[in-house]
């Protein structure tokens, strides 16, 4: 549990300190990350027991990594993503982030109290394949949010009294 708390503090500190997203974009990414991670984890973690946090059962400690660990990482990723740059730079950026996440995931496999992540059949190789795809989905979602922001009409906020 110590490793999880340290990671949450570090990721959230860095995620908010270097956040270049608007508040609306930050909220969108935070909620998208929770929803998408839960969707992914319902299948891989809960249905097929590919990996799990703390124990195979659903428990309250598992709420922390599902809700406040990954969103600030995605905020950091998007804050420095090379939008408008050459495709090769984007590929390298995603590969570097994937490598960093693989190293972090390996650290989470340490014994408790530092580790909190356990592998069933899921290996770091699975993450090496899945993480770039997940990053591409995140970028596509973020581009959609930006497009919707540009298309929205000013003054279309309902009166709340």
């Amino acid at each position: 549990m110590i490793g999880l708390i340290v990671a949450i503090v570090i990721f959230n500190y860095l995620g908010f300190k270097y956040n270049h997203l608007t508040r609306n974009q930050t909220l969108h990414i935070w909620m998208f990350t929770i929803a998408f991670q839960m969707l992914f984890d319902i299948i891989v973690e809960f249905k097929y027991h590919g990996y799990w946090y703390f124990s195979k059962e659903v428990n309250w400690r598992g709420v922390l990594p599902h809700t406040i660990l990954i969103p600030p990482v995605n905020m950091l990723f998007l804050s420095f993503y090379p939008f408008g740059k050459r495709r090769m730079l984007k590929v390298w950026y995603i590969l570097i982030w994937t490598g960093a996440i693989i190293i972090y995931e390996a650290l989470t496999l340490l014994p408790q109290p530092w580790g909190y992540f356990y592998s069933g059949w899921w290996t770091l190789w699975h993450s090496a394949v899945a993480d770039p795809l997940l990053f591409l989905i995140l970028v596509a979602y973020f581009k959609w949010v930006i497009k919707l922001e540009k298309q929205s009409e000013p003054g279309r906020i309902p009166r709340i009294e």
Side-chain angles (χ1 to χ4, degrees):
M1 188 81 165
I2 292 172
L4 175 62
I5 292 169
V6 168
I8 287 171
V9 169
I10 290 171
F11 292 165
N12 277 276
Y13 173 77
L14 293 173
F16 282 99
K17 180 172 175 65
Y18 299 105
N19 186 11
H20 297 180
L21 311 179
T22 66
R23 290 180 187 164
N24 183 50
Q25 293 163 357
T26 298
L27 177 63
H28 270 276
I29 293 309
W30 198 283
M31 293 295 112
F32 173 78
T33 301
I34 291 171
F36 196 69
Q37 181 179 1
M38 286 305 302
L39 176 65
F40 192 84
D41 285 352
I42 284 170
I43 297 165
V44 178
E45 179 180 352
F46 300 123
K47 181 170 175 63
Y48 294 113
H49 301 292
Y51 55 78
W52 55 90
Y53 299 99
F54 300 108
S55 68
K56 288 184 181 180
E57 293 80 35
V58 177
N59 59 56
W60 285 106
R61 291 186 300 177
V63 171
L64 294 173
H66 285 105
T67 58
I68 59 176
L69 178 67
I70 306 302
V73 174
N74 284 347
M75 290 163 42
L76 270 174
F77 173 83
L78 290 170
S79 289
F80 296 101
Y81 186 80
F83 292 102
K85 303 290 184 185
R86 293 184 352 252
R87 181 172 288 159
M88 202 59 205
L89 183 59
K90 294 174 186 177
V91 168
W92 278 110
Y93 185 80
I94 289 173
L95 290 176
I96 289 167
W97 271 85
T98 299
I101 286 175
I102 299 291
I103 291 167
Y104 170 75
E105 189 174 319
L107 293 173
T108 66
L109 293 168
L110 291 172
Q112 284 199 35
W114 297 103
Y116 57 90
F117 188 71
Y118 299 90
S119 291
W121 53 264
W122 189 269
T123 67
L124 295 176
W125 290 108
H126 290 96
S127 294
V129 172
D131 290 348
L133 298 173
L134 296 173
F135 278 133
L136 290 172
I137 292 168
L138 177 67
V139 169
Y141 177 78
F142 186 69
K143 286 181 177 180
W144 184 50
V145 168
I146 298 290
K147 182 179 177 182
L148 291 175
E149 284 182 340
K150 288 180 180 178
Q151 292 175 347
S152 66
E153 299 175 30
R156 297 276 320 224
I157 301 171
R159 293 185 69 177
I160 301 172
E161 296 180 33

